[in-house]
Amino acid sequence: MLASQDPHNQSPHTQEPPKRRFLGRGDIDVSFEFFPPKTDPMEDTLWRSIRRLEPLRPKYVSVTYGAGGSTRERTHATVGRMLRETTLKPAAHLTCVSATKEEIDEVIRDYWDLGVRQIVALRGDPPDGVGECYEPTPGGYANAADLTAGIKKIAPFEISVGCYPEKHPESPSVEADIDMLKAKIDAGATGAITQFFFDNEVYFRYLDRVRAAGIDIPIVPGLIPIHNFKQVSSFAERSGASMPDWIGRRFEGLDEDQETRHLVAAAVAAEQVLGLVDQGITEFHFYTLNRADLVYAICYLLGLRPAKAFTEAKVEPAT
């Protein structure tokens, strides 16, 4: 058979180039998740990461929110500092855990007064940790849909919620999760961020099911760079996200080889994100774990560059 007659042997000039070839034209949006620090060294790490990623002009950055009072205070302090000292748009996390409606409503009002205009509304994990039975707090919001409705009654926040391509660990089925997502949207949510995943087909199958259910809000893929394979594997096991065997094989024998492990992690992340781009995905949410290095490299691959104002600020004036 002549090459020109073989549909699998097309000339490179007749094939549609992958969408990644067109990156850098301003069509990619990213957002970043950070968690509030518990110690002074962690505070330094967090703010180095924030300063490193800020010039990439993310759509917003979210700050997680724990069940304990001190964690909530650290979240509030981190968000406040972002508003005072950076150009970033913070989106504060809120959960239903270990607080009454009155207590959470007070936090919501405080965030509005502080200048926050976006919230990530989540049910939250049981106070005793993932795997324990979740029980709504007496007098509190029952779930994320209930919380979303409560937020909307107080102020016109933009609200993002979570969704789970491989279903929430406590959910009986993906269909039940999709029904809950519908309830969150009915309550006022305008966007959803997925739990992290490592196989892009998991995301696309979920997206097909969500769209077939009549849900048309943005479903932004949540991605977690693998800085530490054992740590991320543990996160995946607790959250119900599958870890493909091929990823484990790529990190075999690298526990004591940090330099190679870092290069492999960058390659794995690049493969995943560029595969999503080739299928038309243009918005990404990164779970940074307060680490900027891999996230910055991935964003660079996506065509993002530091804003001119930041690069010019580093240039010393002539004397």
Side-chain angles (χ1 to χ4, degrees):
M1 179 182 290
L2 295 175
S4 60
Q5 296 173 310
D6 183 356
H8 301 291
N9 190 20
Q10 299 180 49
S11 164
H13 298 293
T14 64
Q15 294 177 346
E16 180 181 350
K19 291 182 173 62
R20 69 184 69 180
R21 294 280 183 89
F22 303 105
L23 289 172
R25 298 184 179 182
D27 54 352
I28 298 292
D29 286 316
V30 297
S31 54
F32 306 128
E33 178 185 290
F34 299 102
F35 61 86
K38 297 180 180 180
T39 65
D40 288 343
M42 291 174 69
E43 178 96 9
D44 291 340
T45 298
L46 167 65
W47 284 95
R48 283 198 302 271
S49 296
I50 289 172
R51 296 302 187 189
R52 173 71 164 153
L53 295 173
E54 180 185 6
L56 297 178
R57 295 166 293 179
K59 190 174 182 179
Y60 65 89
V61 297
S62 66
V63 183
T64 61
Y65 178 90
S70 61
T71 305
R72 293 174 185 169
E73 292 169 6
R74 288 193 293 268
T75 298
H76 195 277
T78 301
V79 169
R81 184 175 172 186
M82 282 183 177
L83 285 166
R84 292 191 307 272
E85 299 182 13
T86 77
T87 61
L88 298 170
K89 174 186 176 182
H93 281 221
L94 274 180
T95 74
C96 307
V97 178
S98 299
T100 65
K101 288 184 179 181
E102 289 75 16
E103 291 169 331
I104 294 175
D105 289 352
E106 183 179 354
V107 174
I108 296 167
R109 294 187 186 96
D110 286 345
Y111 276 134
W112 185 266
D113 292 342
L114 193 63
V116 175
R117 295 296 180 264
Q118 183 171 350
I119 286 178
V120 178
L122 306 166
R123 188 204 72 179
D125 296 326
D128 294 331
V130 176
E132 298 299 317
C133 182
Y134 178 84
E135 294 289 343
T137 301
Y141 288 105
N143 52 41
D146 193 23
L147 174 59
T148 297
I151 294 168
K152 282 295 190 181
K153 289 178 182 178
I154 293 173
F157 285 95
E158 180 181 349
I159 301 176
S160 296
V161 293
C163 61
Y164 305 87
E166 297 175 88
K167 84 178 186 61
H168 191 281
E170 298 173 39
S171 178
S173 66
V174 174
E175 288 77 15
D177 269 351
I178 291 175
D179 287 341
M180 177 54 69
L181 179 57
K182 287 181 179 179
K184 297 174 190 177
I185 296 167
D186 290 343
T190 56
I193 305 164
T194 75
Q195 177 61 277
F196 60 80
F197 56 90
F198 301 100
D199 181 347
N200 288 349
E201 286 305 310
V202 166
Y203 169 75
F204 288 117
R205 285 196 298 268
Y206 178 72
L207 196 60
D208 286 343
R209 297 172 85 167
V210 166
R211 298 305 184 216
I215 295 172
D216 59 3
I217 66 169
I219 306 292
V220 179
L223 305 176
I224 184 167
I226 305 176
H227 298 92
N228 181 308
F229 179 74
K230 288 183 178 179
Q231 181 188 42
V232 174
S233 294
S234 177
F235 291 161
E237 183 177 0
R238 297 199 303 270
S239 63
S242 60
M243 176 72 78
D245 290 341
W246 65 265
I247 292 184
R249 289 194 296 272
R250 291 194 181 183
F251 286 92
E252 282 180 357
L254 296 180
D255 290 350
E256 306 302 322
D257 187 346
Q258 181 176 352
E259 183 175 352
T260 304
R261 190 170 69 242
H262 188 88
L263 292 172
V264 170
V268 169
E271 182 178 355
Q272 180 175 21
V273 75
L274 293 177
L276 290 168
V277 168
D278 283 344
Q279 296 300 315
I281 304 303
T282 60
E283 185 171 351
F284 304 88
H285 183 76
F286 292 101
Y287 300 105
T288 71
L289 304 181
N290 290 4
R291 297 278 300 275
D293 47 3
L294 278 178
V295 175
Y296 189 94
I298 297 165
C299 290
Y300 209 87
L301 281 175
L302 287 170
L304 301 180
R305 298 293 183 267
K308 187 176 180 182
F310 288 91
T311 57
E312 288 180 344
K314 293 183 178 181
V315 178
E316 293 293 333
T319 57

